[in-house]
Amino acid sequence: MTPEQIDMVQGSFAKVVPIKDAAAAIFYARLFEIAPEVKPYFKGDMTEQGAKLMATLGVVVNGLKNLDAIVPVAQKLAVGHVAYGVKPEDYQSVGAALLYTLGQGLGDGFTPEVEAAWTEAYTILSGVMIGAAYPAAAE
């Protein structure tokens, strides 16, 4: 990622933080709409799950300038998600739901450039996560 893309991701996420609860609700509603097969992975309180999602996104977004620090955390998270039944192909639906959520939350601020920056960030991180959790799928 370029420094400009990192700045765009971080700047746009800062605008989502004030509406993080609504953003999390939008994210999961969209995820379950486009990938209903993932709903059984979530057995707990969805409000709490949304808070965890937004906190994790915050750590990742804030760490984009130091990928060496966040990659091991993302890898560990991905390996842990295997136990919930998460499959490599689920990452595509999560990425689509994330971009949709950002579009809803940012409105006109979700420019093609911001979308491209988020897509790049998600592609990098999901690739690392899939590689850690499913080494055969990453090949």
Side-chain angles (χ1 to χ4, degrees), residues 98-110:
L98 175 63
L99 292 174
Y100 175 84
T101 301
L102 291 164
Q104 296 298 300
L106 295 169
D108 291 342
F110 195 57

Side-chain angles (χ1 to χ4, degrees), residues 39-53:
K39 195 166 188 178
Y41 302 164
F42 301 92
K43 301 195 182 342
D45 178 337
M46 289 309 294
T47 301
E48 184 179 317
Q49 181 64 39
K52 288 179 185 178
L53 168 73

Side-chain angles (χ1 to χ4, degrees), residues 103-124:
Q104 296 298 300
L106 295 169
D108 291 342
F110 195 57
T111 65
E113 295 80 15
V114 170
E115 182 177 8
W118 272 98
T119 300
E120 179 71 10
Y122 186 77
T123 300
I124 291 168

Side-chain angles (χ1 to χ4, degrees), residues 17-35:
V17 170
I19 59 161
K20 63 185 178 186
D21 294 340
I26 292 167
F27 172 83
Y28 285 111
R30 182 64 175 170
L31 179 62
F32 298 154
E33 178 184 331
I34 63 173

Side-chain angles (χ1 to χ4, degrees), residues 70-85:
I70 62 169
V71 163
V73 175
Q75 290 172 322
K76 184 177 178 184
L77 184 67
V79 170
H81 278 73
V82 173
Y84 297 118

